[in-house]
Amino acid sequence: MGKSREADPQSLQKYGVPLYSAAWLPYKELRSKLQPRDDHVDSSKQQEQQQQEEEEEKIPKPSASSHEHYVVLAGGGGEGSSGIPNAVLLSCFDFSSNSLSSQPVAKLGLGSQLPYRMVVHPGGDGVICAFPSSCRFFDWDEVKDNEDHKLGLKPSKKVLTQLEDVGQQLALAFNSDSSVLAVGGEDGNLRVFKWPGMEIILNETQAHASLKDLCFSPDGKFLVSMGQRDLGRVWDVTSSTAVASLPKENDEIFASCRFSQKSDQAQVLYIAAITDKGSSIVTWNTSSWKRMSSKHVAREPVSSFNVSPDGKLLAMGMTQGDVLLVNSTNLRVQTLIRKAHLGIVTALAFSHDSRALVSASMDSSARVTLIEDNKSAAGGSSMQIIIFIIILAIAAYFLKNEVLPFLV
């Protein structure tokens, strides 16, 4: 009798749509924007309502309530008669049960337009999707269903005129305070705008042969762009000029880039690179823009990359479906999830509190991985080492006295 297949965990769900983008919804910021207000209520009642809300804020709430953790996913089958829809999906994650909703809690159909890339506004304003020829903005929507308020997305009245008929954009990024938007195109054009006014800051038509990734430094002063097969470039956002180049070595192909901020406020740049041996992580000094180190991490090519908000972990998604969590200090693999997905891992995103990682794949699946408490793990390892040393000491004592306890 053949061995039965192990059931998938509840934290892994398939949604019937090849997924290309994933992000966590900034629920706290969004909640303040969607807070219902009745203009017809007199000021005394509004004050009473505000006081009640302030009192509710003082009441301790579970640190991981399921309704406060949403995952935003985007993808589809593109144009044609495949029958696979194009959509932006909203799913909820419950930390207490480590489960992702089996069905999306909201779904916005997009017709024949494939949302190949997506960025969620950090301040809760909405979502920008990159389609084959243009980018569109979508607003969050709250629909009252009986006594419940259900969250969803709707087309926005805000039209991104500057991003119409610009071709496929492969990279979208906001800076940390949501005041600047950077967009990189398949044609190599880099555009940087002030948000929300969309005044152009930088328009570099030949930044790269083809631009595939962008990331802002934590302080928003610098923007790094990655080309398809060429070197990386560093841009000063204030002066709108290129200030440094990030050269490759040997056979490297730069795949993705992310900044991180250490506990001492120092900033570091990580680049995930593909080599003939698999994948490596290259670390750069953000003052001199010199390469500090390069370490081989995996035998497979990396397909997606991200850094946790607390700077402690790097996440790598692989072409064969594995997901790796790498310690940012020593660049050693801390957790390996083999076959996290059956297909290429297209996107990775840490939750805002760095307690979970969502991964998405072209096999239509999304998965949330809880981050282990490093202190607990370290404590367990330390205890094992102590026990091992004690056993060695006991063995050494008996050998020294030429007495073995099991022969006595």
Side-chain angles (χ1 to χ4, degrees), residues 78 96 205 213 252 275 292 364:
S96 60
T205 57
D213 199 19
E252 288 176 339
T275 68
M292 294 193 299
S364 305

Side-chain angles (χ1 to χ4, degrees), residues 2-72:
K3 187 177 180 180
S4 60
R5 183 179 179 273
E6 186 177 347
D8 291 331
Q10 289 184 307
S11 58
L12 172 66
Q13 300 293 342
K14 284 201 171 186
Y15 295 118
V17 174
L19 299 172
Y20 295 96
S21 300
W24 292 84
L25 186 150
Y27 185 81
K28 183 178 179 181
E29 291 79 3
L30 178 60
R31 182 183 179 187
S32 64
K33 291 180 181 295
L34 294 178
Q35 195 69 35
R37 289 285 186 269
D38 191 344
D39 296 334
H40 301 289
V41 178
D42 60 47
S43 59
S44 62
K45 288 188 176 181
Q46 284 187 358
Q47 187 175 3
E48 182 181 347
Q49 182 181 7
Q50 184 176 355
Q51 290 176 348
Q52 182 179 353
E53 291 170 359
E54 291 175 353
E55 290 298 321
E56 289 177 353
E57 288 294 327
K58 296 178 182 178
I59 301 174
K61 295 181 175 64
S63 60
S65 176
S66 63
H67 69 275
E68 293 183 353
H69 293 83
Y70 289 94
V71 173
V72 191

Side-chain angles (χ1 to χ4, degrees), residues 104-161:
V105 297
K107 180 178 181 179
L108 177 65
L110 299 170
S112 62
Q113 297 292 299
L114 171 66
Y116 191 57
R117 291 291 185 268
M118 172 192 76
V119 63
V120 175
H121 186 271
D125 278 359
V127 175
I128 298 176
C129 290
F131 298 101
S133 62
S134 303
C135 293
R136 289 174 59 192
F137 186 64
F138 298 91
D139 290 321
W140 296 111
D141 190 23
E142 192 173 37
V143 181
K144 188 172 182 180
D145 182 17
N146 296 325
E147 296 300 320
D148 295 329
H149 290 268
K150 292 188 176 182
L151 192 61
L153 278 170
K154 63 181 180 181
S156 176
K157 294 180 181 180
K158 180 182 178 66
V159 179
L160 304 179
T161 307

Side-chain angles (χ1 to χ4, degrees), residues 113-399:
Q113 297 292 299
L114 171 66
Y116 191 57
R117 291 291 185 268
M118 172 192 76
V119 63
V120 175
H121 186 271
D125 278 359
V127 175
I128 298 176
C129 290
F131 298 101
S133 62
S134 303
C135 293
R136 289 174 59 192
F137 186 64
F138 298 91
D139 290 321
W140 296 111
D141 190 23
E142 192 173 37
V143 181
K144 188 172 182 180
D145 182 17
N146 296 325
E147 296 300 320
D148 295 329
H149 290 268
K150 292 188 176 182
L151 192 61
L153 278 170
K154 63 181 180 181
S156 176
K157 294 180 181 180
K158 180 182 178 66
V159 179
L160 304 179
T161 307
Q162 298 86 338
L163 293 176
E164 290 188 319
D165 300 319
V166 292
Q168 180 70 67
Q169 302 303 296
L170 298 179
L172 306 167
F174 278 105
N175 66 350
S176 58
D177 67 2
S178 313
S179 62
V180 179
L181 168 69
V183 181
E186 190 175 30
D187 59 0
N189 196 326
L190 172 62
R191 298 175 176 88
V192 183
F193 305 92
K194 291 183 180 179
W195 184 269
M198 292 296 287
E199 299 92 351
I200 190 73
I201 298 175
L202 172 65
N203 187 9
E204 185 71 24
T205 57
Q206 295 181 337
H208 298 274
S210 182
L211 204 155
K212 63 178 180 179
D213 199 19
L214 294 166
C215 66
F216 282 98
S217 60
D219 58 14
K221 292 181 180 180
F222 298 104
L223 172 70
V224 171
S225 60
M226 294 277 102
Q228 192 68 31
R229 286 185 174 271
D230 54 2
L231 47 71
R233 301 185 72 180
V234 183
W235 307 83
D236 184 300
V237 177
T238 303
S239 64
S240 301
T241 56
V243 294
S245 294
L246 307 174
K248 303 183 296 179
E249 289 187 357
N250 301 322
D251 59 341
E252 288 176 339
I253 298 175
F254 288 163
S256 185
C257 56
R258 288 295 182 272
F259 279 93
S260 180
Q261 186 162 299
K262 300 291 187 178
S263 56
D264 59 358
Q265 302 304 309
Q267 298 182 88
V268 62
L269 173 66
Y270 297 103
I271 292 180
I274 300 172
T275 68
D276 61 349
K277 295 180 180 179
S279 299
S280 62
I281 294 176
V282 186
T283 308
W284 301 80
N285 183 296
T286 56
S287 296
S288 63
W289 299 110
K290 299 295 184 182
R291 179 187 292 242
M292 294 193 299
S293 67
S294 177
K295 184 172 182 180
H296 175 74
V297 178
R299 295 180 179 178
E300 296 177 20
V302 60
S303 55
S304 52
F305 180 67
N306 217 324
V307 178
S308 63
D310 63 11
K312 295 179 180 179
L313 292 174
L314 314 179
M316 302 178 73
M318 316 308 286
T319 56
Q320 298 299 316
D322 294 349
V323 171
L324 283 65
L325 291 174
V326 180
N327 185 297
S328 65
T329 303
N330 54 28
L331 297 184
R332 293 178 179 174
V333 176
Q334 179 174 303
T335 304
L336 169 60
I337 307 159
R338 294 191 183 278
K339 298 300 178 184
H341 301 273
L342 297 180
I344 183 173
V345 181
T346 51
L348 295 166
F350 284 93
S351 60
H352 303 100
D353 56 8
S354 301
R355 296 177 56 227
L357 173 76
V358 61
S359 54
S361 171
M362 287 186 66
D363 71 355
S364 305
S365 68
R367 182 179 191 135
V368 175
T369 301
L370 294 180
I371 307 301
E372 294 181 2
D373 185 349
N374 290 338
K375 292 182 179 180
S376 299
S381 299
S382 299
M383 183 58 68
Q384 291 176 356
I385 293 172
I386 292 171
I387 294 173
F388 180 68
I389 292 173
I390 292 173
I391 293 173
L392 284 179
I394 293 172
Y397 170 80
F398 284 115
L399 287 173

